[in-house]
Amino acid sequence: MSKGKLDLLLDSLGIKLVPVHRRRAPAESHARGTMREIRGRYGDGHLIFVLRCIRQTANNRDELWSDTIGAVSDVLAQRQDWALQRPSDLLGAFDDIALASLRGDAVARRPWPVRATLRTLIYWELERRLDAPTPLAV
């Protein structure tokens, strides 16, 4: 069976999709549906950058949960200026954010949707780092 376009794209990022009945290993994800949704809505470039924000940061390499991927995508779709104008600052900010901890906070707040809660938490953390107010001259 030949690989689909999504699987080939993920191969280039060192990510493998596995069936949900199988336990995830590092660099593996069950999030095929979420990735297809993102790819269909925003295209390959957006999906690649979302996954880079997760995979290419120090503490988040294996946070390939569907809620996390979706929440990062939602934030980057809302704040395209961060990705387009300051990609290295954005990746640096993700180095300082523990996505696993934020996801744990979002899961603890169920029955609210995890992706929506996580999106808010990620946005708040990024905004603090990337949109820091400039001090007024006195």
Side-chain angles (χ1 to χ4, degrees):
M1 181 175 190
S2 64
K3 287 189 171 191
K5 291 180 183 179
L6 178 60
D7 293 295
L8 291 172
L9 177 76
L10 296 177
D11 281 349
S12 70
L13 299 169
I15 298 170
K16 181 179 179 184
L17 290 171
V18 295
V20 294
H21 65 273
R22 215 180 100 205
R23 194 173 216 23
R24 290 181 339 118
E28 292 184 343
S29 179
H30 298 136
R32 181 178 300 276
T34 300
M35 291 188 205
R36 280 187 178 153
E37 169 204 333
I38 293 167
R39 192 168 172 243
R41 179 177 251 180
Y42 301 110
D44 288 349
H46 178 84
L47 177 60
I48 289 168
F49 195 71
V50 165
L51 295 173
R52 284 185 62 214
C53 286
I54 298 168
R55 288 283 296 155
Q56 293 181 359
T57 55
N59 299 316
N60 300 315
R61 292 188 49 78
D62 296 316
E63 293 303 312
L64 296 170
W65 301 96
S66 60
D67 293 324
T68 304
I69 294 166
V72 171
S73 173
D74 294 344
V75 169
L76 296 183
Q78 178 68 31
R79 288 300 303 268
Q80 295 177 20
D81 58 308
W82 288 339
L84 295 173
Q85 297 168 10
R86 302 169 58 198
S88 59
D89 292 340
L90 181 61
L91 289 171
F94 270 105
D95 274 331
D96 296 334
I97 297 171
L99 291 175
S101 177
L102 294 181
R103 185 175 182 279
D105 290 346
V107 168
R109 283 163 176 77
R110 284 180 177 158
W112 292 346
V114 173
R115 179 174 172 170
T117 304
L118 184 55
R119 169 179 53 228
T120 302
L121 296 173
I122 292 170
Y123 188 93
W124 184 73
E125 291 290 337
L126 289 172
E127 187 178 51
R128 285 183 343 138
R129 289 166 173 79
L130 299 172
D131 287 346
T134 52
L136 297 174
V138 182

